[in-house]
Amino acid sequence: MKIIDISWPITKDTTTYKNKNNIKITKTFSKNKARASQITISTHTGTHIDAPSHFLKTGKTIDKLNLKTINGKCRVIHIKNTNKITIENLQNKNIKKAEIILLKTKNSNIKPDAKFKKEFTYLTKEAAQFLIKKKIKAIGI
């Protein structure tokens, strides 16, 4: 299986939620000839995973998620010219149980250092419930 990393690199200029510019990267080289680095970021920096705890009071935090649920063979579905992904956008896509679905949207054209825009593409609650009923493994936008 070919692995394709679609995540953005983390740099001091990476897009941050609401342009908070909260990325701190520190690199030091000690007198013992060892490099140490420290990265401090928000959980909503660049490409990221929203853990169930982001939306659900009793949802799992990111450190409790099984990585097998977000890794594996996936199917890319093109959703064009909308910020709001609805059931209507998904119903005729033949989505099957246990699939990992990546939605290619106009977000795919955003550069990693672009300013945050509040008109980002999102999944409606009804579309999310539709995918839950389909018992997909994961969804990515």
Side-chain angles (χ1 to χ4, degrees), residues 50 79-86 89 103-110 116-124 140-141:
D50 281 338
I79 306 286
K80 297 181 180 181
N81 303 321
T82 187
N83 287 337
K84 180 168 74 171
I85 300 169
T86 65
N89 297 119
L103 300 176
K104 185 173 183 174
T105 69
K106 59 185 177 176
N107 283 11
S108 301
N109 297 323
I110 298 172
F116 174 82
K117 293 179 184 175
K118 62 182 181 178
E119 302 84 30
F120 54 86
T121 304
Y122 67 96
L123 200 58
T124 65
I141 300 174

Side-chain angles (χ1 to χ4, degrees), residues 14 16 38-39 46 69 79 89 111 114 118 128 130 140:
T14 300
T16 56
Q38 180 175 347
I39 300 173
T69 63
I79 306 286
N89 297 119
K111 301 293 181 208
K118 62 182 181 178
F130 171 79

Side-chain angles (χ1 to χ4, degrees), residues 18-112:
K18 295 187 177 178
N19 295 312
K20 294 192 178 189
N21 298 324
N22 53 3
I23 300 173
K24 293 184 179 82
I25 301 172
T26 307
K27 298 176 185 177
T28 59
F29 198 78
S30 72
K31 57 185 169 186
N32 296 330
K33 297 183 181 172
R35 182 168 315 281
S37 300
Q38 180 175 347
I39 300 173
T40 305
I41 61 173
S42 161
T43 56
H44 281 94
T45 299
T47 43
H48 63 276
I49 299 167
D50 281 338
S53 66
H54 181 61
F55 299 101
L56 306 170
K57 190 171 187 173
T58 59
K60 288 183 182 179
T61 55
I62 199 78
D63 59 312
K64 303 290 186 224
L65 289 182
N66 183 339
L67 291 179
K68 289 180 182 178
T69 63
I70 58 167
N71 285 290
K73 188 174 180 179
C74 72
R75 184 159 60 105
V76 177
I77 297 175
H78 295 257
I79 306 286
K80 297 181 180 181
N81 303 321
T82 187
N83 287 337
K84 180 168 74 171
I85 300 169
T86 65
I87 291 175
E88 291 76 25
N89 297 119
L90 302 173
Q91 282 178 326
N92 65 347
K93 303 300 183 189
N94 197 25
I95 296 170
K96 294 182 174 51
K97 180 179 179 179
E99 276 193 301
I100 296 175
I101 302 292
L102 290 180
L103 300 176
K104 185 173 183 174
T105 69
K106 59 185 177 176
N107 283 11
S108 301
N109 297 323
I110 298 172
K111 301 293 181 208

